[in-house]
């Protein structure tokens, strides 16, 4: 008989597999990931589908994250303390720049976006909330690594850095230099490193000198000119500083 804890572990592993596979996964792939028989994986997926936690595409017969799970995740994110502190600053930053702003945290070798504010007037990118991206390719990842645990940098650079575009930094020595520059400047940028034609700039939210999250601003390279990068980055850094003050309970009345 399968122990209750083992069943929970299997459910958690299925959700992780589905969340990391936007194109969906088949029963055989889930069985391999869980190291169980295909029939066991099929029964587990069927049970999760009944409860709306996974969804099966009738055409491809592949499974993805279900609508109920997405709703539960969204509700949980809205109740995260850092989101509550950061959201007003994201709204203000987007209102002042007319660009999309994000809040992200580091999870292993990836950045996970947990909040986003988009401008109302412009054509904007789709929501990134819940999305994971390689930390080395994003501005948020760079500041989270530069101002985070040095051991996390070493773990990342012990692996092969994947090239998402021709501009992605994959050389460890060069990446270390970039992190040193980020620490000196207080902010980071990514120009076409994560996606072609996308520019982002981010700054860390600090608590006791360590980054606990990152604020970023993003938009197309066709709209955000290089001459504006430093100015916009300073606005992002100022927003991150105010969020840090909110987290620490040090917000001045004039900053609110």
């Amino acid at each position: 008989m399968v122990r209750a804890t083992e069943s929970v572990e299997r459910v958690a592993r299925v959700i992780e597999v589905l969340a990391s596979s936007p194109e969906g996964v088949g029963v055989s792939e889930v069985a391999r990931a869980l190291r169980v028989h295909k029939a066991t994986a099929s029964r587990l997926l069927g049970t999760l589908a009944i409860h709306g936690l996974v969804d099966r595409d009738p055409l491809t017969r592949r499974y993805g994250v279900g609508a109920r799970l997405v709703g539960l995740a969204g509700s949980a994110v809205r109740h995260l303390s850092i989101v509550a502190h950061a959201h007003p600053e994201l709204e203000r930053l987007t209102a002042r720049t007319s660009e999309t702003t994000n809040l992200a945290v580091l999870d292993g070798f990836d950045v996970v976006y947990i909040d986003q504010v988009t401008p109302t007037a412009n054509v904007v990118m789709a929501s990134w909330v819940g999305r994971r991206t390689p930390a080395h390719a994003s501005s948020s990842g760079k500041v989270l690594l530069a101002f985070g645990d040095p051991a996390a940098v070493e773990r990342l650079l012990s692996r092969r850095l994947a090239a998402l575009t021709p501009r992605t930094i994959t050389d460890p020595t060069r990446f270390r230099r970039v992190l040193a520059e980020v620490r000196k400047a207080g902010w980071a940028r990514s120009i076409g490193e994560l996606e072609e034609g996308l520019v982002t700039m981010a700054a860390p939210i600090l608590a006791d000198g360590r980054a606990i999250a990152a604020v970023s601003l993003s938009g197309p390279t066709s709209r955000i000119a290089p001459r504006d990068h430093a100015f916009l980055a300073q606005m992002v850094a100022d927003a991150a500083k105010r969020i840090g003050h909110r987290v620490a309970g040090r917000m001045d009345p004039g900053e609110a």
Side-chain angles (χ1 to χ4, degrees), residues 8-9 23 45 48 68 74 84 116 150-151 172 187 192 202 206 233 241 254:
V8 173
E9 289 171 358
E23 72 282 1
L45 287 166
L48 294 175
R68 186 180 181 193
Q116 176 174 297
W187 57 275
L206 301 176
K241 183 178 180 180

Side-chain angles (χ1 to χ4, degrees), residues 13-150:
R13 181 60 180 143
V14 168
I15 293 173
E16 288 176 353
V17 171
L18 268 59
S20 62
S21 305
E23 72 282 1
V25 296
V27 174
S28 297
E29 295 167 85
V30 172
R32 285 194 296 272
L34 271 60
R35 298 181 180 177
V36 298
H37 192 276
K38 186 175 178 180
T40 301
S42 181
R43 287 195 298 271
L44 179 56
L45 287 166
T47 300
L48 294 175
I50 289 173
H51 293 280
L53 300 177
V54 305
D55 182 55
R56 189 185 190 190
D57 189 306
L59 297 178
T60 65
R61 303 174 69 85
R62 297 174 73 81
Y63 287 87
V65 174
R68 186 180 181 193
L69 184 59
V70 173
L72 291 171
S75 178
V77 165
R78 286 192 296 272
H79 288 85
L80 288 177
S81 175
I82 187 65
V83 172
H85 287 302
H87 194 78
E89 294 299 335
L90 296 185
E91 289 184 325
R92 179 156 78 165
L93 185 57
T94 289
R96 294 180 65 192
T97 64
S98 296
E99 300 295 349
T100 298
T101 54
N102 283 285
L103 179 69
V105 294
L106 189 66
D107 183 22
F109 304 115
D110 296 330
V111 165
V112 180
Y113 298 89
I114 58 176
D115 196 16
Q116 176 174 297
V117 173
T118 57
T120 56
N122 294 339
V123 175
V124 297
M125 50 193 267
S127 176
W128 281 37
V129 176
R131 180 173 171 178
R132 305 175 71 92
T133 62
H136 69 280
S138 71
S139 57
S140 291
K142 290 174 185 175
V143 296
L144 288 168
L145 289 166
F147 292 92
D149 184 359

Side-chain angles (χ1 to χ4, degrees), residues 81-82 85-86 205-207 212 242-250:
S81 175
I82 187 65
H85 287 302
I205 299 171
L206 301 176
I212 58 172
R242 286 193 295 270
I243 295 168
H245 287 172
R246 287 177 182 271
V247 172
R250 300 196 305 268

Side-chain angles (χ1 to χ4, degrees), residues 153-173:
V153 177
E154 298 308 316
R155 288 193 295 269
L156 176 71
L157 297 182
S158 69
R159 298 158 45 97
R160 183 182 67 85
L161 301 182
L164 279 67
T165 76
R167 297 180 65 98
T168 306
I169 300 172
T170 59
D171 177 66
T173 300

Side-chain angles (χ1 to χ4, degrees), residues 160-224:
R160 183 182 67 85
L161 301 182
L164 279 67
T165 76
R167 297 180 65 98
T168 306
I169 300 172
T170 59
D171 177 66
T173 300
R174 183 184 172 197
F175 193 73
R176 289 183 192 278
R177 289 200 300 268
V178 169
L179 293 186
E181 293 169 0
V182 170
R183 282 188 286 269
K184 183 177 180 180
W187 57 275
R189 64 181 165 185
S190 170
I191 307 175
E193 297 171 44
L194 184 62
E195 291 184 6
E196 293 278 10
L198 177 68
V199 57
T200 70
M201 45 207 68
I205 299 171
L206 301 176
D208 297 323
R210 285 284 178 90
I212 58 172
V215 177
S216 67
L217 177 147
S218 58
T221 53
S222 60
R223 190 166 66 226
I224 301 180

